[in-house]
Amino acid sequence: MIPKQTAAGQGWQSAQGADVELALPATNAPHRRAVLRALLWLTIGCGVFFASVNITVGNHPVAVAELTMAAYAALLLWVIRRPEIHLDRWILAYLIPFCTTMMFACWYRRAEPTVFVWPILIPVISYLLLGRRAGFWFTLVFLCISLAIFAVKIAETGDVYAIAAIANVVLCAACIFGLSHAYEVTREQAEARLRALALRDPLTGLCNRAGLSEAFQLQRAQADRYGTPLSTVLLDLDHFKRINDDYGHETGDKVLVAFADCLKDALRESDLACRLGGEEFALLLPRTGLDEATQIAERLRNAIAAARCEHNGHAISITATLGVAELDASDDLQSLLARADERLYRGKNAGRDRVMAA
């Protein structure tokens, strides 16, 4: 096997690592858009209703704040209908004014003690919209502000019943804070396990076709943005069926695992190795042109040919045929793989155990 190389530059890292996240940022997840849309509608309805109530009892500053927030929520509802927007920025654009309006309503001197029931919402909506880390800090900041307002209210009123009512609400908000955090941690862990099952081949631990597709979208965007090349290599093990026929499928699986380990050792940190199915594998090589990708493929071919897999005292060797292609401006993943696949089969027809790149 050949030593692992280190890729120059920064950015996306190999999907062989345990910490890699190929997904889009959590705040762009579809369920967050649905939650935000529902909250905006609730904000509009509740803002109009409570503004009417506060106008009736003479709390005009609070009514103005609530009507302003309702109008702002209507504007955001129109903005987020576009799928291409950066949703996490608009989530903050909603949450900060919403919670600020809530703090103003709690601070207003004529407000009823029951207004402190609203901070209970902060942990729930923060974790739903921002995720674990950002949701924690956002909740902590605004619950601390609520606690400070609560302390001022105690100093002003001295009403033991009002103090007890507000304290109950604040303590309830703190409990919901803890429960929301525990739930979000558990949800993220479960989601990570499901993603690992969905994007990885269970036998070799490499990415599967779905993982390759997701990684390609990210790398294609970076290649377009920075003008860097992107190449792929398709690999097919030569005469792999003979191994299954001669030694059994269990031994064939061991050979596939050993082959996957060979790929991991041979590639750079920035490269991605995938198992497409059976004995067919693919490599995604960011910031790599056709000539360099061909050199990598040739080194990999030599490493595969030199590797051995032991079975009942017998050393099983295998070779591979590789097809190389570089991304063109008009390519998608399917066309890029098709071009590499055409070259791979030309290599098969020419005698196998070779690299074809033109």
Side-chain angles (χ1 to χ4, degrees):
M1 297 182 185
I2 59 178
K4 183 180 290 187
Q5 304 172 46
T6 301
Q10 299 177 350
W12 180 77
Q13 293 186 2
S14 169
Q16 269 66 263
D19 299 328
V20 169
E21 295 183 5
L22 294 176
L24 295 175
T27 45
N28 280 329
H31 77 277
R32 301 199 191 279
R33 186 182 296 271
V35 170
L36 179 59
R37 186 180 294 112
L39 285 171
L40 290 172
W41 278 114
L42 287 172
T43 302
I44 294 170
C46 292
V48 172
F49 173 77
F50 285 108
S52 301
V53 172
N54 281 305
I55 290 174
T56 302
V57 299
N59 289 341
H60 295 103
V62 175
V64 170
E66 289 168 340
L67 285 174
T68 302
M69 189 64 213
Y72 181 60
L75 175 63
L76 290 180
L77 196 61
W78 178 80
V79 170
I80 68 165
R81 62 185 173 79
R82 294 176 295 167
E84 71 276 8
I85 66 168
H86 203 292
L87 191 60
D88 55 345
R89 296 174 183 172
W90 291 103
I91 286 174
L92 288 174
Y94 164 74
L95 282 178
I96 293 174
F98 177 77
C99 293
T100 301
T101 303
M102 188 187 301
M103 296 301 101
F104 174 73
C106 292
W107 170 80
Y108 187 61
R109 60 185 178 85
R110 295 181 58 185
E112 294 292 329
T114 53
V115 76
F116 274 86
V117 74
W118 285 99
I120 292 177
L121 280 176
I122 294 176
V124 177
I125 62 177
S126 297
Y127 278 95
L128 281 174
L129 292 176
L130 296 174
R132 176 168 56 89
R133 292 184 180 87
F136 172 83
W137 290 110
F138 191 92
T139 299
L140 185 63
V141 168
F142 277 97
L143 284 188
C144 286
I145 295 173
S146 300
L147 186 61
I149 296 173
F150 162 66
V152 171
K153 290 288 185 179
I154 291 178
E156 287 181 350
T157 64
D159 186 342
V160 66
Y161 293 105
I163 292 172
I166 296 173
N168 281 330
V169 172
V170 172
L171 290 174
C172 185
C175 290
I176 294 177
F177 183 14
L179 292 173
S180 297
H181 186 80
Y183 168 79
E184 188 65 19
V185 169
T186 304
R187 188 198 65 79
E188 285 188 359
Q189 291 173 345
E191 184 177 349
R193 287 193 292 269
L194 289 174
R195 283 191 60 77
L197 291 174
L199 299 178
R200 291 189 183 278
D201 171 56
L203 176 65
T204 63
L206 301 178
C207 276
N208 57 20
R209 187 178 291 270
L212 174 63
S213 178
E214 197 163 315
F216 175 80
Q217 297 302 324
L218 295 175
Q219 284 306 306
R220 173 64 185 269
Q222 288 195 12
D224 290 343
R225 180 176 181 181
Y226 298 110
T228 54
L230 175 65
S231 296
T232 189
V233 179
L234 279 187
L235 307 89
D236 192 86
L237 300 183
D238 298 329
H239 304 299
F240 181 74
K241 185 176 182 300
R242 293 180 184 174
I243 295 178
N244 286 330
D245 293 342
D246 294 344
Y247 301 102
H249 288 279
E250 182 179 354
T251 301
D253 287 347
K254 291 180 180 178
V255 171
L256 290 175
V257 171
F259 176 75
D261 291 339
C262 183
L263 291 182
K264 295 174 186 178
D265 290 338
L267 296 179
R268 305 166 299 182
E269 291 292 336
S270 61
D271 299 335
L272 175 70
C274 304
R275 184 188 179 198
L276 300 182
E279 66 273 21
E280 188 175 20
F281 295 78
L283 310 179
L284 194 63
L285 309 177
R287 300 181 298 277
T288 306
L290 185 64
D291 291 341
E292 185 181 0
T294 304
Q295 295 173 9
I296 293 173
E298 190 62 44
R299 289 197 298 268
L300 184 58
R301 185 191 67 80
N302 290 329
I304 295 167
R308 297 292 183 272
C309 180
E310 296 293 331
H311 172 75
N312 293 335
H314 299 286
I316 301 173
S317 61
I318 198 166
T319 61
T321 305
L322 302 87
V324 185
E326 182 179 354
L327 181 72
D328 290 335
S330 60
D331 272 333
D332 57 14
L333 178 60
Q334 184 176 358
S335 61
L336 179 64
L337 291 178
R339 197 160 63 253
D341 191 54
E342 185 272 334
R343 293 170 183 176
L344 184 151
Y345 275 94
R346 282 169 47 201
K348 291 278 189 182
N349 294 332
R352 295 182 168 84
D353 189 21
R354 66 192 62 216
V355 173
M356 300 294 288

